[in-house]
Amino acid sequence: MKVAIVKNAEEGSKLAAEIFIEQVKAKPATVLGLATGSTPVKMYKLLAEAYKAGEVSFKECKSFNLDEYLGLAPEHDQSYHYFMKTQLFDHIDIDQAQTNVPDGLATDIAASCQAYEDAITAAGGIDIQLLGIGSDGHIAFNEPGCSLACRTHSQVLTQQTIEDNARLFFGGKIEEVPTQAVTMGIGSIMDAKKVVLLAFGAGKQDAVVGLVEGPVTAMCPCSALQYHNDCIVICDEEAAGKLQQKEYYKYIFSQTGVSNI
Ligand code: PGA
């Protein structure tokens, strides 16, 4: 696992955007794994700016998003379909027919999840997966206690996640946050060729410790990434605040940069 500790979310977003832009330049038909939430918003802005400046094109890319709330239509303004369209897809040249987000309205959820997995496989697998992290250590909507091998599935959300999401979305109305979601599993995420995880702010401190230095345990699903062989964690000073080896990670980063950590 590579750990890049940066000053703030601004710097972290810049670094993440650079990694994605380099990836797409090197392989224009990149299969992108994308995330929602407050964390990637700035990075998506930077990708849109880079596209507008003629620095990169996404027209040959395909994308797969991590998750979607169960029961929300793609047009719902709190759905992850809507988030992706308004935060990124409408501002770059990706072919929107090649963008995929799990179906929150599926009647046969198991079949829909299997179809999502099959579509990722048919696309050749995810080349680069972006992740945020929940304050409880979830990635995508894989909540504490979930299987570390699971594939795309439906998941009942924890009270913590519902509260976290109401704070930032749904106008703060907790009763409007759906209680279930469809999510790529830890097993699906582990299959991505490269993983870039972003963690910003003091609220993510405990999750980051579990991710980087904690035992691998279902109680902290992100800890499974310790077994991924190309995972970079980009966190700001606040999110890194409780890492035991913080100074060592900074030293390595100063010596070798992202590519060789
Ligand atoms: P956030 O959510 O980016 O809104 O903090 C991250 C997550 O829950 O994965």
Side-chain angles (χ1 to χ4, degrees), residues 36-40 132-134 138 140 165 168-169 204:
T36 51
S38 56
T39 305
I133 187 171
H138 70 225
N165 289 1
L168 295 160
F169 303 98
K204 305 292 172 71

Side-chain angles (χ1 to χ4, degrees), residues 17-18 47 49 56 94 98 116 121 139 145 156 160 169 199 204-206 211 217 226 243 245 259:
E18 279 165 15
L47 293 183
E49 281 171 25
V56 64
I94 196 166
Q98 298 296 334
Y116 203 69
T121 304
I139 44 174
V156 174
Q160 175 76 56
F169 303 98
K204 305 292 172 71
Q205 280 182 348
D206 292 330
L211 165 70
T217 166
Q226 290 175 27
L243 285 173
Q245 302 231 79
S259 54

Side-chain angles (χ1 to χ4, degrees), residues 7-258:
K7 201 163 70 204
N8 50 34
E10 186 87 10
E11 267 191 23
S13 303
K14 200 160 158 266
L15 179 57
E18 279 165 15
I19 293 170
F20 271 73
I21 290 166
E22 284 315 306
Q23 162 72 38
V24 173
K25 279 184 175 168
K27 183 180 177 189
T30 287
V31 180
L32 301 163
L34 299 175
T36 51
S38 56
T39 305
V41 169
K42 176 71 188 165
M43 179 201 148
Y44 288 158
K45 274 206 175 74
L46 295 171
L47 293 183
E49 281 171 25
Y51 158 66
K52 281 185 188 113
E55 202 188 316
V56 64
S57 167
F58 299 90
K59 68 174 188 300
E60 291 180 44
C61 292
K62 288 190 169 83
S63 72
F64 289 88
N65 260 80
L66 290 167
D67 43 17
E68 178 59 286
Y69 289 112
L70 263 183
L72 294 196
E75 305 75 37
H76 190 290
D77 67 0
Q78 296 297 324
S79 76
Y80 287 169
H81 279 82
Y82 186 88
F83 176 98
M84 289 310 300
K85 200 171 148 44
T86 52
Q87 296 292 329
L88 183 66
F89 299 153
D90 283 350
H91 310 291
I92 59 175
D93 61 344
I94 196 166
D95 175 359
Q96 295 206 24
Q98 298 296 334
T99 64
N100 300 274
V101 180
D103 182 2
L105 295 181
T107 42
D108 185 341
I109 294 168
S112 170
C113 290
Q114 186 57 52
Y116 203 69
E117 290 279 333
D118 293 346
I120 293 172
T121 304
I126 290 170
D127 290 305
I128 184 165
Q129 176 68 57
L130 180 66
L131 294 175
I133 187 171
S135 60
D136 63 0
H138 70 225
I139 44 174
F141 271 132
N142 294 285
E143 298 282 35
C146 74
S147 155
L148 297 184
C150 57
R151 313 300 307 188
T152 302
H153 64 286
S154 62
Q155 177 85 47
V156 174
L157 305 182
T158 61
Q159 195 57 28
Q160 175 76 56
T161 295
I162 289 170
E163 283 168 20
D164 284 352
N165 289 1
R167 226 177 5 247
L168 295 160
F169 303 98
F170 294 94
K173 292 185 191 132
I174 206 160
E175 64 284 0
E176 287 186 12
V177 182
T179 56
Q180 291 188 47
V182 191
T183 179
M184 272 166 58
I186 299 292
S188 331
I189 292 167
M190 291 294 286
D191 283 351
K193 295 175 188 98
K194 184 180 193 70
V195 172
V196 179
L197 185 148
L198 304 182
F200 303 140
K204 305 292 172 71
Q205 280 182 348
D206 292 330
V208 168
V209 170
L211 165 70
V212 179
E213 297 177 336
V216 174
T217 166
M219 287 310 288
C220 184
C222 59
S223 63
L225 289 168
Q226 290 175 27
Y227 284 117
H228 197 285
N229 71 357
D230 189 1
C231 173
I232 174 163
V233 174
I234 300 175
C235 48
D236 64 4
E237 285 281 354
E238 281 187 349
K242 290 188 181 170
L243 285 173
Q244 267 184 47
Q245 302 231 79
K246 183 175 164 189
E247 294 311 317
Y248 177 55
Y249 305 136
K250 282 170 130 174
Y251 174 66
I252 297 173
F253 188 51
S254 74
Q255 296 292 303
T256 65
V258 173

